[in-house]
Amino acid sequence: MISVPSPWISTGHLPTPEVVGHLVEEAHAHFASVEEGNVATYIPALAAASPRSFGICVAATSGASFNAGDWAVPFSIQSLSKPFLFALVCEAIGEQLARDALGVNSTGLPFNSVLAVERTVEGLSNPMVNAGAIATTSLVPGDDAAAQWRFIEDGLSRFAGRRLTLDAEVYQSERATNCSNKGIASLLSAHQQLWSDPATAIDLYTRQCSLLVTAQDLALMACTLANGGRQPLSGEQVIAPLICRRVLAVMVTAGLYETSGDWLYQIGLPGKSGVSGGMITVAPGKGALATWSPPLDEAGNSVRGQLTAHFLSERLGLNLFDSLPSSAS
Ligand code: GLU
């Protein structure tokens, strides 16, 4: 299908800064006392996270941001790197080729499922689960692993609008324990769905997951996806508007793994979670919400993150499926 640029677009704007700021504070006060969920322990370094940590940031496409709690505390990005790396790879090789190589359909399976590869004859999953994300990393351009790492580090930093650095302890900890991701990489390779050698793909993927971000970084990164690919503070056009659309579509499909349907039913927006407790929610044209709270539900999604996204999506009028009856009808 030919993509025709249109002057009409289905977005609105956030309420006034006073309203947004007040609601962000209210959400923090409301959910800070929630005690459900467990901190991830399968990566030993993540087990040290405090279950009390809780930060919120809403970044508007205007560049304004609204913060509460631990919004400036760094933590490893983990799976929240996936949509941004997919975006960078789409930009580098073309979104159609990326789709054909990686798949864009929901697996309905947990984030680290090995079955996600075996599920179809081709071995395709989608870039939001580990299998598809490892395959995405293997598509990163570069003559060697060092060049590929520069592409990843530079690209994710351009989304954040500042230089991101590695948490060496988290990287070493995951590197020493990521047997099932290594199994996924071998299976992908057996299905001819990996475009570098498995060891390189796994090392780069593990590094990318260990980059440090704050809730504010994540809100600005996600806001770039809400803003036609332009970073709201630096003004850099990181990816094309069409790629934003593609990335947000895959986030809707699989951003919360096997509970993506429940998320969409309740919140009505593209979202993505990660095992260190980060979560992003994108309101196209308006802005983005990022939260950080380490206790997770059974599927690996932050409990306070989901509550905050629900609360703010309702009160800020963000649900993509909302409409009011026309006064003309
Ligand atoms: N590095 C983590 C893994 O591969 C990321 C998973 C996640 O955040 O959901 O297991």
Side-chain angles (χ1 to χ4, degrees), residues 42 93 95:
Y42 78 98
I93 71 169
E95 50 94 23

Side-chain angles (χ1 to χ4, degrees), residues 42-43 46 77-80 82 111-112 128 130 134 174 178 180-181 205-206 209-210 257 272-276 299-300:
Y42 78 98
I43 300 173
L46 296 186
I77 188 168
Q78 298 301 334
S79 264
L80 294 158
K82 290 171 180 168
F111 71 93
N112 56 357
M128 299 303 123
N130 288 9
I134 293 165
E174 183 163 4
N178 58 358
S180 80
N181 282 343
Y205 168 78
T206 309
C209 288
S210 307
Y257 313 119
K272 182 78 196 84
S273 64
V275 288
S276 49

Side-chain angles (χ1 to χ4, degrees), residues 13-224:
H13 51 81
L14 288 175
T16 62
E18 293 70 30
V19 170
V20 181
H22 172 75
L23 286 170
V24 165
E25 294 284 350
E26 198 178 320
H28 192 273
H30 223 74
F31 300 119
S33 56
V34 170
E35 289 195 341
E36 282 142 53
N38 293 300
V39 171
T41 54
Y42 78 98
I43 300 173
L46 296 186
S50 165
R52 280 194 298 280
S53 297
F54 183 28
I56 306 180
C57 178
V58 168
T61 49
S62 65
S65 56
F66 308 88
N67 304 312
D70 298 317
W71 59 274
V73 179
F75 57 96
S76 58
I77 188 168
Q78 298 301 334
S79 264
L80 294 158
S81 61
K82 290 171 180 168
F84 302 104
L85 202 75
F86 176 53
L88 293 165
V89 165
C90 282
E91 190 69 45
I93 71 169
E95 50 94 23
Q96 191 57 48
L97 200 60
R99 174 202 182 148
D100 294 345
L102 301 165
V104 292
N105 286 314
S106 167
T107 64
L109 295 165
F111 71 93
N112 56 357
S113 172
V114 176
L115 269 183
V117 184
E118 292 292 280
R119 198 181 53 108
T120 65
V121 180
E122 304 84 14
L124 296 180
S125 54
N126 69 68
M128 299 303 123
V129 299
N130 288 9
I134 293 165
T136 306
T137 301
S138 79
L139 282 171
V140 164
D143 288 340
D144 54 23
Q148 286 184 296
W149 175 242
R150 273 197 303 280
F151 176 96
I152 295 171
E153 205 182 17
D154 286 354
L156 294 178
S157 296
R158 283 190 287 127
F159 270 110
R162 74 171 183 98
R163 198 84 210 142
L164 300 179
T165 58
L166 194 78
D167 184 325
E169 191 195 339
V170 169
Y171 167 60
Q172 293 300 346
S173 178
E174 183 163 4
R175 200 168 167 235
T177 51
N178 58 358
C179 296
S180 80
N181 282 343
K182 286 178 183 148
I184 289 173
S186 299
L187 267 184
L188 284 168
S189 196
H191 281 272
Q192 279 89 49
Q193 295 298 348
L194 205 67
W195 288 269
S196 69
D197 75 281
T200 304
I202 283 297
D203 186 58
L204 289 171
Y205 168 78
T206 309
R207 268 172 204 267
Q208 111 195 8
C209 288
S210 307
L211 284 169
L212 285 167
V213 286
T214 63
Q216 188 175 52
D217 290 327
L218 282 174
L220 287 164
M221 292 172 84
C223 191
T224 305

